[in-house]
Coordinates of all heavy atoms in Angstrom, one line a residue:
G102 N 129.9 190.2 195.4 CA 128.6 190.4 196.1 C 128.7 191.6 197.0 O 129.1 192.6 196.6
S103 N 128.5 191.3 198.3 CA 128.7 192.4 199.3 C 130.0 192.4 200.0 O 130.3 193.2 200.9 CB 127.6 192.4 200.3 OG 127.6 191.1 201.0
Q104 N 130.9 191.4 199.6 CA 132.2 191.2 200.3 C 133.2 192.1 199.7 O 133.6 191.9 198.5 CB 132.6 189.7 200.2 CG 134.0 189.5 200.8 CD 134.0 189.7 202.3 OE1 133.0 189.3 203.0 NE2 135.0 190.3 202.8
P105 N 133.8 193.1 200.4 CA 134.8 193.9 199.8 C 136.2 193.1 199.8 O 136.4 192.2 200.6 CB 135.0 195.1 200.8 CG 134.4 194.5 202.1 CD 133.4 193.5 201.8
F106 N 137.0 193.5 198.9 CA 138.3 192.9 198.7 C 139.3 193.5 199.8 O 139.0 194.6 200.3 CB 138.9 193.2 197.4 CG 138.5 192.3 196.3 CD1 137.1 192.1 196.0 CD2 139.4 191.8 195.4 CE1 136.7 191.2 195.0 CE2 139.0 191.0 194.4 CZ 137.7 190.7 194.2
D107 N 140.3 192.8 200.1 CA 141.4 193.3 201.0 C 142.3 194.2 200.2 O 142.4 194.1 199.0 CB 142.3 192.1 201.5 CG 141.5 191.1 202.4 OD1 140.6 191.5 203.1 OD2 141.8 189.9 202.3
V108 N 142.9 195.2 200.9 CA 143.7 196.2 200.2 C 145.2 195.7 200.3 O 145.7 195.3 201.4 CB 143.6 197.5 200.9 CG1 144.6 198.5 200.2 CG2 142.2 198.1 200.8
D109 N 145.8 195.6 199.2 CA 147.2 195.2 199.1 C 147.5 194.0 199.9 O 148.5 193.9 200.7 CB 148.2 196.4 199.6 CG 148.0 197.6 198.7 OD1 147.7 197.4 197.5 OD2 148.2 198.7 199.2
G110 N 146.8 192.9 199.6 CA 146.9 191.7 200.4 C 148.0 190.8 199.9 O 148.3 189.8 200.6
V111 N 148.7 191.0 198.8 CA 149.7 190.2 198.3 C 151.1 191.0 198.4 O 151.2 191.8 197.5 CB 149.4 189.6 196.9 CG1 150.5 188.7 196.5 CG2 148.1 188.9 196.9
P112 N 152.0 190.6 199.3 CA 153.2 191.4 199.4 C 154.0 191.2 198.1 O 154.0 190.2 197.4 CB 154.0 190.7 200.5 CG 152.9 190.0 201.3 CD 151.9 189.6 200.3
G113 N 154.7 192.3 197.7 CA 155.6 192.2 196.5 C 154.9 192.6 195.2 O 155.6 192.8 194.2
L114 N 153.6 192.8 195.2 CA 152.9 193.3 194.0 C 152.7 194.8 194.1 O 152.6 195.3 195.2 CB 151.6 192.6 193.9 CG 151.6 191.1 193.5 CD1 150.1 190.5 193.4 CD2 152.3 190.8 192.2
P115 N 152.5 195.4 193.0 CA 152.1 196.8 193.0 C 150.7 197.0 193.6 O 150.1 196.0 193.9 CB 152.0 197.2 191.5 CG 152.8 196.1 190.8 CD 152.7 194.9 191.6
P116 N 150.3 198.2 193.8 CA 149.0 198.4 194.5 C 147.9 197.6 193.9 O 147.7 197.6 192.6 CB 148.8 199.9 194.3 CG 150.1 200.5 194.2 CD 150.9 199.5 193.5
H117 N 147.1 196.9 194.7 CA 146.1 196.0 194.2 C 145.1 195.7 195.4 O 145.3 196.1 196.5 CB 146.7 194.7 193.8 CG 147.4 194.0 194.9 ND1 148.6 194.3 195.4 CD2 146.9 192.9 195.6 CE1 148.9 193.5 196.4 NE2 147.9 192.7 196.5
W118 N 144.0 195.0 195.0 CA 143.1 194.4 196.0 C 143.2 192.9 195.8 O 143.5 192.4 194.7 CB 141.7 194.9 195.7 CG 141.4 196.3 195.9 CD1 141.2 197.0 197.0 CD2 141.2 197.3 194.8 NE1 140.9 198.3 196.8 CE2 140.9 198.5 195.5 CE3 141.3 197.3 193.5 CZ2 140.7 199.7 194.8 CZ3 141.1 198.5 192.8 CH2 140.8 199.6 193.4

Side-chain angles (χ1 to χ4, degrees):
S103 62
Q104 179 64 43
F106 278 49
D107 298 324
V108 178
D109 297 332
V111 182
L114 289 180
H117 66 282
W118 293 282

